[in-house]
Amino acid sequence: MTRPLIIAIDGPSGAGKSTLGRMVARALNLLYIDTGSMYRAVALAVMESSISASDDVAVGSLANRIDIDLKGDPDSLSVTLDGRDVTEQIRSEEVTDLSSIISTIPAVRRAMVARQREMGKRGAVLNGRDIGTVVFPDADIKFFLTALPQARAERRFNEERAYDPNVRFDETFADMTERDARDTTRIDSPLKTAADAIVVDSTGLTIDEVFEQLMAAVEEKAGSLLTNNK
């Protein structure tokens, strides 16, 4: 029996991973795992505790104790933290900024990777920054989505503006640039392109155009597996 299909989608902030991950998961009837939401949930837990975000040991311990779950279909995915829905809370700018910082802590990454592997055993589309290199290095298909910084910042700005109308583009661009630097230079699981990943540059393309590219690659590389997952 063929094992469940696992698709990894990696890339920097604002590359379209979340939107396209949901679209691919829905098309293939697979579980969608937004790993970024898991790190955001850890960040929220830290903010609600008396723990200092600079205390790596305490933050890592907290990440191992809390219960994080993803529920629902790709288009209505809800994130729960210790049983309560925090889907909206984790989208705040403050949580976003802190999640980028605590995600560099090795103990936090180990805790989340273990959970992601367990969740993905049933077959899934996972997006993040180390899915194809660390979480599932044997994924059936690996994508690395990217785009020019200006284009990525504009996408992130539009997303953030939906939650905070006072956000400014220059702040979003600066935050994204800083996050790119953290993601690519951190010691534990840095953002990088897997050797066997399909690189897709979405600059100037619509979401539908990129989706067509991804699905064409899926059909070409895993056609025989799709029948077993539909």
Side-chain angles (χ1 to χ4, degrees), residues 51-71:
I51 293 173
S52 169
S54 62
D55 187 338
D56 290 6
V57 174
V59 174
S61 176
L62 179 66
N64 277 284
R65 295 196 310 271
I66 58 177
D67 179 49
I68 299 171
D69 197 11
L70 306 178
K71 300 178 180 179

Side-chain angles (χ1 to χ4, degrees), residues 31 33 112-122 136:
L31 173 68
I33 301 177
M112 294 302 102
V113 166
R115 296 182 189 198
Q116 292 156 16
R117 285 174 175 164
E118 187 62 32
M119 295 171 70
K121 285 180 179 179
R122 295 169 285 169
F136 281 107

Side-chain angles (χ1 to χ4, degrees), residues 13-14 40 88 90-100 129 152-177 179:
S13 177
R40 289 170 183 264
E88 296 299 321
I90 63 172
R91 292 298 164 184
S92 73
E93 185 176 356
E94 188 177 8
V95 171
T96 298
D97 291 343
L98 183 58
S99 69
S100 175
R129 288 167 173 75
R152 293 192 288 113
E154 288 176 356
R155 292 171 189 163
R156 179 64 67 201
F157 172 67
N158 289 329
E159 290 176 1
E160 292 178 346
R161 192 164 51 177
Y163 296 94
D164 181 4
N166 297 316
V167 68
R168 291 165 37 196
F169 176 77
D170 60 332
E171 293 176 341
T172 299
F173 188 87
D175 288 344
M176 191 195 73
T177 301
R179 178 160 193 175

